[in-house]
């Protein structure tokens, strides 16, 4: 299926009162809106680092298994123990990276015009388990002036879904456009 075919499908959640489903749907839509509609080039650094740590962990586990398969359990016990320790160290690094560095970041990207970076945008957010209020923080940087402005907003995500749990793209796009326009205006007023 091509990229254009998948973006035309409506985003629907099976339970519009499940905050996890709502958060995942809104997070995906935020990334789509800022990368496709607003033409920000999304940074995948956090994903790449976590994937690298995961792949290295898998290779360590596979190498340990292969070594034990070629030798005996008793001969491979030391190597297996070291591999288990390294595996858990890598998983701890991944967790700490997500908690301290990535935090609640949903989107990070830059906008280029004629090959020149003109602005950067970072969006982070969190939603409480039993609340439809999604706390979003948008940080917009104008590269030419070096100025950065932030805006914390708390939209009610229930207004972005219809009664059947289908995400209404016009509603979310309109709100996100308003939030971004406010940031751009704010940076040019200062």
């Amino acid at each position: 299926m091509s990229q254009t075919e998948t973006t035309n499908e409506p985003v629907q959640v099976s339970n519009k009162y499940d905050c996890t489903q709502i958060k995942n749907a809104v997070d995906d839509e935020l990334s789509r809106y800022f990368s496709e509609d607003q033409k920000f080039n999304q940074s995948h650094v956090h994903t790449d680092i976590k994937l690298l740590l995961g792949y290295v962990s898998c290779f360590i586990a596979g190498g340990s298994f292969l070594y034990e398969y070629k030798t005996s359990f008793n001969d491979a016990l030391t190597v297996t123990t070291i591999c288990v320790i390294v595996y858990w160290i890598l998983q701890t690094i991944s967790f700490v990276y997500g908690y301290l560095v990535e935090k609640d970041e949903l989107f990070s990207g830059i906008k280029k015009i004629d090959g020149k970076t003109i602005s950067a945008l970072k969006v982070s957010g969190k939603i409480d388990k039993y609340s439809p209020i999604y706390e979003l923080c948008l940080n917009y940087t104008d590269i030419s002036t070096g100025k950065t402005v932030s805006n914390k907003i708390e939209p009610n995500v229930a207004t972005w879904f219809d009664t059947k749990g289908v995400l209404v793209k016009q509603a979310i796009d309109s709100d996100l456009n308003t939030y971004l326009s406010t940031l751009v205006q704010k940076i040019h007023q200062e």
Side-chain angles (χ1 to χ4, degrees), residues 8 20 39 42 50-51 54 66 82 101 110 115 124 126 140 144-145 147 151 169 174 185 188 190:
N8 290 333
T20 303
K39 306 297 185 216
Q42 186 171 3
K50 291 178 104 176
L51 277 172
L66 187 61
I82 292 169
V101 178
I110 58 171
S124 57
K126 62 182 179 177
Y140 181 82
S144 62
T145 62
K147 292 182 184 177
N151 193 10
K169 287 188 179 186
S174 174
Q185 289 174 359
H188 292 296
E190 294 180 358

Side-chain angles (χ1 to χ4, degrees), residues 104-182:
D104 295 323
E105 190 172 293
L106 306 172
F107 180 86
S108 177
I110 58 171
K111 186 182 275 192
K112 291 184 176 186
I113 294 181
D114 296 330
K116 182 179 177 188
T117 303
I118 60 165
S119 60
L121 177 69
K122 286 188 180 183
V123 181
S124 57
K126 62 182 179 177
I127 189 168
D128 290 330
K129 191 172 185 177
Y130 300 109
S131 173
I133 305 300
Y134 201 164
E135 298 173 22
L136 291 173
C137 181
L138 286 81
N139 294 315
Y140 181 82
T141 304
D142 185 343
I143 303 297
S144 62
T145 62
K147 292 182 184 177
T148 300
V149 292
S150 297
N151 193 10
K152 285 191 177 189
I153 48 176
E154 295 182 346
N156 183 343
V157 293
T159 61
W160 292 342
F161 291 86
D162 66 12
T163 56
K164 295 180 182 177
V166 177
L167 183 70
V168 181
K169 287 188 179 186
Q170 294 83 5
I172 189 171
D173 288 357
S174 174
D175 286 352
L176 292 175
N177 187 40
T178 302
Y179 304 148
L180 186 60
S181 298
T182 302

Side-chain angles (χ1 to χ4, degrees), residues 6-25:
T6 58
T7 57
N8 290 333
E9 294 177 10
V11 176
Q12 184 171 7
V13 294
S14 59
N15 180 359
K16 72 176 206 162
Y17 302 106
D18 181 2
C19 286
T20 303
Q21 287 184 32
I22 296 291
K23 181 181 182 334
N24 290 337

